[in-house]
Amino acid sequence: PGLTGFDTMRRLADDDRVALPLMSHPAFQGSSVIIPHAGISHFALFGQMIRLAGADASIFPNYGGRFAFKREDCCSLAEGTDCEMGHIKPITPAGGMSLERVPELGMVYGREVIFLIGAGLVKHSPDLVENCRYFKQLVEQI
């Protein structure tokens, strides 16, 4: 929605022909939340507004990574994806992370999260299949 607008996401969500889960990517939205005393809260933008636009999951840059999100920002965002909003259904937070951080972040977010591993899955070892098994083991321990 940062590139195409919230209305475009809403139209896709309302179109039964699409029939796929919609994941909201945070591209071009970071400047709205990066300054604590100005802009929009993580809770509202990546949690509530994304839900209102019809997303099924909200991708976000996790704390401790290459972006400036703090742990409390990410926890607030996750709360926004699940807070009471009348008939609007909760959505799933989807945070980017590395394999090494799965146990820690599982403790923070619980099991109702999408772990976006990306390049970390191939950095672990040259055996992608074994890396996927290792990832599965980490998630099952949460």
Side-chain angles (χ1 to χ4, degrees):
L3 298 173
T4 62
F6 288 97
D7 285 342
T8 300
M9 178 165 270
R10 177 83 257 155
R11 290 182 82 180
L12 288 170
D14 288 342
D15 189 339
D16 292 334
R17 296 172 300 168
V18 175
L20 294 169
L22 292 177
M23 297 179 81
S24 173
H25 192 278
F28 282 25
Q29 293 176 318
S31 61
S32 298
V33 297
I34 202 70
I35 302 172
H37 60 278
I40 304 171
S41 72
H42 291 75
F43 179 92
L45 180 60
F46 298 118
Q48 295 179 310
M49 291 173 66
I50 297 303
R51 287 170 67 186
L52 291 170
D56 296 296
S58 179
I59 297 172
F60 63 95
N62 227 313
Y63 70 92
R66 59 186 176 155
F67 296 99
F69 282 25
K70 297 180 187 118
R71 179 181 172 149
E72 49 275 7
D73 297 332
C74 294
C75 289
S76 174
L77 179 155
E79 289 173 22
T81 64
D82 193 38
C83 70
E84 176 62 37
M85 289 180 64
H87 71 281
I88 306 296
K89 65 181 172 77
I91 63 173
T92 305
M97 62 189 70
S98 64
L99 279 175
E100 296 76 29
R101 297 196 64 212
V102 169
E104 170 200 354
L105 296 173
M107 296 297 294
V108 172
Y109 301 116
R111 293 185 65 91
E112 295 300 319
V113 66
I114 297 170
F115 293 119
L116 300 176
I117 302 298
L121 202 54
V122 295
K123 287 180 183 176
H124 183 69
S125 85
D127 187 341
L128 184 58
V129 172
E130 188 54 40
N131 295 347
C132 291
R133 287 186 184 118
Y134 176 65
F135 174 46
K136 182 176 183 267
Q137 288 174 343
L138 290 172
V139 171
E140 288 173 342
Q141 293 173 7
I142 296 171

